[in-house]
Amino acid sequence: LRRKEGLKRTDVFGRFSQIYYTAFIRKENDSFSLSDPQQSLLLSFADASWRKLDAAKEARLVFSGSHEWDFEDTPERPELEYRIRSMYGDYKNKHNGLQITFGRQSVNSGGVLGRFDGGVLGFKIKPKFRGYLVAGFPVDFVNHKELQTNKPMFGGRVDADALLPNW
């Protein structure tokens, strides 16, 4: 879906996919039957984005998640498993250089490596320098469904652009 009005534009896009996975595991000196799978999963993936931009600003909402249905439900493996990989909002002002991102996101700079729940604040220091501050809580992949408030994290960085000719 796309709408244009002069320099204004709104986009909505995404994808959905599913994969069925089955495995037959044969132990040494054992026979196996095709009617007795050891693992049987339906994996679903969904991504959706909404973006609105014009000459002065850009705003985005992003969602990315997955769902796993285990047909071989056991106490060690629950029947349903879902993950929210990303779910955040982002705002950029092109005139003053302000950028704000908040929610579940992944950053690999400024001392932060990986997925976290929190925010990033970006700002213009001088025409060739930008600063970024990051704060939040890391996402524990073992317990990814709850906010991990016991380990707050903070980070920052400064980016420089075109300090020397041809660099």
Side-chain angles (χ1 to χ4, degrees):
L1 173 68
R2 179 178 285 175
R3 193 179 87 224
K4 290 185 177 183
E5 296 172 4
L7 296 176
K8 296 180 181 180
R9 187 168 120 186
T10 302
D11 299 315
V12 177
F13 49 93
R15 74 179 177 105
F16 177 78
S17 63
Q18 285 188 313
I19 300 168
Y20 177 72
Y21 172 80
T22 188
F24 299 92
I25 301 169
R26 182 179 158 197
K27 296 179 183 170
E28 199 172 317
N29 298 327
D30 270 352
S31 63
F32 72 95
S33 165
L34 290 178
S35 63
D36 186 26
Q38 300 296 314
Q39 192 170 30
S40 182
L41 301 171
L42 179 64
L43 305 172
S44 303
F45 303 93
D47 298 297
S49 293
W50 171 87
R51 177 178 61 193
K52 185 172 184 172
L53 58 113
D54 59 32
K57 62 189 173 302
E58 178 179 344
R60 292 187 307 158
L61 295 174
V62 176
F63 172 82
S64 179
S66 63
H67 179 269
E68 178 181 300
W69 182 286
D70 190 345
F71 294 101
E72 301 297 319
D73 185 29
T74 65
E76 303 87 46
R77 294 189 324 232
E79 181 179 304
L80 298 173
E81 181 70 30
Y82 68 89
R83 289 190 188 276
I84 297 175
R85 293 189 310 268
S86 298
M87 187 167 63
Y88 63 89
D90 183 48
Y91 173 81
K92 295 177 187 174
N93 186 307
K94 296 175 185 175
H95 293 303
N96 65 14
L98 181 67
Q99 177 181 349
I100 299 169
T101 307
F102 191 79
R104 177 161 290 180
Q105 56 194 299
S106 183
V107 174
N108 289 313
S109 63
V112 178
L113 300 174
R115 201 170 321 275
F116 72 99
D117 293 327
V120 177
L121 174 65
F123 48 92
K124 189 186 299 184
I125 299 171
K126 289 190 173 189
K128 294 185 176 189
F129 292 94
R130 288 189 54 78
Y132 293 89
L133 300 173
V134 180
F137 304 96
V139 173
D140 182 359
F141 285 103
V142 175
N143 185 9
H144 58 87
K145 295 175 186 170
E146 296 177 14
L147 187 62
Q148 307 297 312
T149 59
N150 58 339
K151 294 183 181 180
M153 49 131 226
F154 306 93
R157 77 177 198 260
V158 175
D159 290 351
D161 185 32
L163 293 178
L164 299 172
N166 300 321
W167 277 45

